[in-house]
Amino acid sequence: MDYLPIFADLKRRPCLVVGGGEVAWRKIRMLHKAGAEVRVVAPELHPEVAAMVHRQEVLHWGDSFAPEQLDGVFLAIAATDKKAVNALVYQSANQRQVLVNVVDDQPRCSFIVPSIIDRSPIIVAISSAGKAPVLARLLREKLEALIPQHLGNMAELAGRFRDRLKAKLPSLTLRRKFWETAFTGRFESLVASGQEQQAMDALEQLSQGLEPRGEVALVGAGPGDASLLTLRALQLMQQADVVLYDYLVSDEVMELVRRDAELVCVGKRAGFHSVSQEQTNQLLLEYAQKGKRVVRLKGGDPFIFGRGAEELSVLAQANIPFQVVPGITAAAGATAYAGIPLTHRDFAQSAVFITGHQKPDGDALDWSTLARGQQTLVIYMGLMKSPYIQQQLIEHGRDSATPIAIIERGTQRQQRVLTGQLSQLSELAAQAESPSLIVVGEVTTLAHQLHWFSGETQSDIPAPQAALSL
Ligand code: SAH
């Protein structure tokens, strides 16, 4: 280990920055943020530094560097473009045993400043010991995405409860268990949704040994490509005790569920239901009432043709806490991966989403509105009803030559895109498999120019007249 990472308390400690340019400014800002008493030595000051001096946030200690300026200083940073000055700062600081950093000159550093992920009071510092700063930065970006924003808040609130818990639970083992449950349970989700008082109440209840209340997260799993999951979806999937999922959720996404979680398939497919909606509602309720952290994972977005609201109503009536995590709906995901923009200044000023799968008592759709030009019509679950949809749209005035696309397994490796005209809709639909999305409108022609994602399987549809496959 070339460097020992330590977290220094700089509050009110004198720190010297030699240099007044842009680089120096960044260092000054950092030291000021950490509460240091910053002294700047430079003949000229960057406007931002001058403004800080003016606001009395930092002290302008002199125009040129003299070794005595280091007396009584905790650490020093040299950020001038003059090699000789930087070298003198380094040498004088070393003589006085003052920590020193010459910017971008690693051999002249007795300390280095790491890349930081700031979720105060949680701070993660990364360093490559000056060997590969870009690699350290890439790592930092990865961790930034992975570490939830509310982590700092959670640590802060936990800190407030620490002494109280110590008094209540003298056993260290029990306290550790307590925090493990809190950081992955109700306390965590309340902090994540900004409900601090309720979060503190949850800690209190947990410390009284009250059965942790179960809760349900209705989570959108997106259209298939696991990298389209939201960070929140991933966090919840990795904390869940039970995951109820249906057939639309891709295997790739399921791979990311916590290994120990119980998986319950409540697969639903148009035509045959393996588990009825009522049974699913009941299961959600039962698991939550047992105190489990339940994730209800649904393809796409849970509130778009997903019956998510029906499941939540049952929970709301039973007073079970829940949260909703949106997902990328098929209309957004599959079209993006097929190179079809839903709207376009020239071709479509609106987009309408409908489902081809209606309630048994019939179709409540206003076909004359749906058949209008200058709009994109996106049809979910439309394969089976495609002959009817084709006929209704043409009957109500949409040109039979309107370009269409069918996107099968959008965003997944097996994605296929079939294109043609409205008059060929049912013919094309017969060659596609579920899940497929039907898109009607001029924007679909852009797929020929804008397609960028190549699925594993290329379409092998023999082009009927103008129909093309990508
Ligand atoms: N809640 C989901 C939709 C559920 S309805 C969402 O927001 O996407 C199921 C229908 O969604 C399927 O029949 C199909 O029309 C569409 N669909 C879902 N995932 C798809 C995908 N990866 N590719 C194409 N269509 C998809």
Side-chain angles (χ1 to χ4, degrees):
M1 188 159 66
D2 289 337
Y3 293 89
L4 174 73
I6 55 170
F7 292 88
D9 178 4
L10 294 187
K11 271 177 237 84
R12 289 176 297 279
R13 287 189 201 279
C15 295
L16 188 76
V17 177
V18 184
E22 178 150 2
V23 179
W25 171 50
R26 271 185 258 131
K27 305 294 172 193
I28 292 166
R29 208 173 40 173
M30 172 186 80
L31 292 172
H32 175 67
K33 212 171 144 198
E37 183 211 298
V38 189
R39 303 170 177 178
V40 191
V41 172
E44 276 170 42
L45 299 180
H46 183 279
E48 295 285 354
V49 181
M52 288 180 93
V53 171
H54 185 72
R55 289 195 298 267
Q56 297 184 338
E57 290 168 358
V58 303
L59 302 164
H60 192 190
W61 210 244
D63 288 342
S64 58
F65 174 71
E68 309 80 67
Q69 289 162 348
L70 286 164
D71 292 340
V73 158
F74 185 71
L75 62 81
I77 296 180
T80 78
D81 49 11
K82 299 200 174 51
K83 271 202 150 154
V85 176
N86 289 348
L88 182 63
V89 176
Y90 176 69
Q91 191 195 1
S92 331
N94 273 344
Q95 277 163 3
R96 289 169 168 75
Q97 306 290 357
V98 169
L99 284 169
V100 61
N101 174 294
V102 177
V103 177
D104 284 336
D105 189 358
Q106 196 221 339
R108 290 210 173 85
C109 288
S110 58
F111 78 95
I112 53 177
V113 183
S115 282
I116 292 170
I117 298 156
D118 189 358
R119 300 283 188 279
S120 286
I122 304 274
I123 293 171
V124 182
I126 304 164
S127 156
S128 67
K131 304 270 191 307
V134 176
L135 198 62
R137 206 197 68 218
L138 289 177
L139 185 60
R140 199 201 108 198
E141 282 165 13
K142 278 219 164 90
L143 292 173
E144 275 284 3
L146 222 74
I147 300 176
Q149 288 296 332
H150 63 266
L151 197 82
N153 220 358
M154 188 152 78
E156 187 71 48
L157 295 178
R160 280 189 225 159
F161 200 71
R162 236 178 127 211
D163 288 341
R164 203 170 150 62
L165 187 71
K166 248 187 209 158
K168 282 181 159 214
L169 288 185
S171 146
L172 188 69
T173 322
L174 285 182
R175 285 207 301 276
R176 189 184 311 134
K177 273 224 163 88
F178 171 92
W179 286 121
E180 278 167 8
T181 312
F183 290 143
T184 56
R186 183 89 191 114
F187 171 64
E188 190 270 349
S189 43
L190 285 166
V191 180
S193 57
Q195 302 178 65
E196 294 191 0
Q197 189 47 53
Q198 287 90 331
M200 293 307 280
D201 294 346
L203 286 184
E204 187 66 51
Q205 284 168 8
L206 191 60
S207 70
Q208 285 165 15
L210 296 180
E211 184 76 351
R213 263 210 310 168
E215 59 175 331
V216 176
L218 179 62
V219 177
D225 179 347
S227 60
L228 294 179
L229 277 174
T230 61
L231 295 172
R232 186 70 187 138
L234 190 60
Q235 285 156 16
L236 290 165
M237 283 159 60
Q238 290 181 349
Q239 289 168 359
D241 297 316
V242 187
V243 175
L244 280 81
Y245 67 100
D246 47 51
Y247 90 100
L248 261 187
V249 180
S250 70
D251 297 345
E252 207 182 308
V253 168
M254 289 306 295
E255 279 295 307
L256 300 174
V257 171
R258 186 168 75 97
R259 291 271 166 254
D260 298 338
E262 183 180 341
L263 301 181
V264 183
C265 179
V266 288
K268 235 184 292 164
R269 246 177 231 272
F272 50 97
H273 285 197
S274 47
V275 180
S276 72
Q277 187 64 53
E278 289 65 35
Q279 282 171 305
T280 304
N281 299 350
Q282 199 52 39
L283 277 174
L284 283 173
L285 205 58
E286 281 169 16
Y287 279 116
Q289 278 165 344
K290 277 192 216 154
K292 303 278 185 199
R293 253 202 137 181
V294 186
V295 163
R296 173 66 175 110
L297 201 54
K298 277 178 174 288
D301 180 88
F303 276 176
I304 295 186
F305 306 130
R307 301 185 71 171
E310 293 171 43
E311 295 176 9
L312 294 188
S313 295
V314 176
L315 300 174
Q317 278 162 21
N319 245 332
I320 304 280
F322 58 80
Q323 56 182 304
V324 184
V325 181
I328 293 187
T329 189
T335 54
Y337 276 49
I340 299 173
L342 285 176
T343 65
H344 188 288
R345 264 157 45 120
D346 299 332
F347 307 129
Q349 289 74 41
S350 63
V352 181
F353 301 172
I354 64 164
T355 166
H357 185 69
Q358 304 291 325
K359 276 189 162 177
D361 49 1
D363 139 25
L365 296 169
D366 177 0
W367 287 102
S368 46
T369 311
L370 298 176
R372 272 191 203 147
Q374 295 290 309
Q375 89 180 350
T376 306
L377 181 63
V378 182
I379 306 153
Y380 288 70
M381 294 179 273
L383 288 183
M384 286 207 303
K385 287 278 181 65
S386 60
Y388 174 70
I389 294 166
Q390 172 180 340
Q391 175 219 333
Q392 288 292 318
L393 288 175
I394 295 175
E395 240 170 52
H396 286 84
R398 192 99 205 213
D399 191 335
S400 63
T402 306
I404 61 160
I406 297 182
I407 310 166
E408 182 188 286
R409 303 192 70 159
T411 80
Q412 303 179 17
R413 278 197 313 279
Q414 309 89 330
Q415 169 175 299
R416 282 203 309 162
V417 182
L418 313 176
T419 58
Q421 299 183 347
L422 183 53
S423 60
Q424 299 162 326
L425 173 59
S426 59
E427 206 180 316
L428 283 182
Q431 299 166 61
E433 280 184 14
S434 189
S436 281
L437 197 70
I438 301 172
V439 188
V440 178
E442 283 69 16
V443 288
T444 58
T445 56
L446 288 158
H448 300 291
Q449 189 195 5
L450 303 182
H451 79 275
W452 57 273
F453 176 74
S454 63
E456 215 169 50
T457 324
Q458 292 297 308
S459 162
D460 54 5
I461 309 279
Q465 295 152 34
L468 270 163
S469 52
L470 297 175

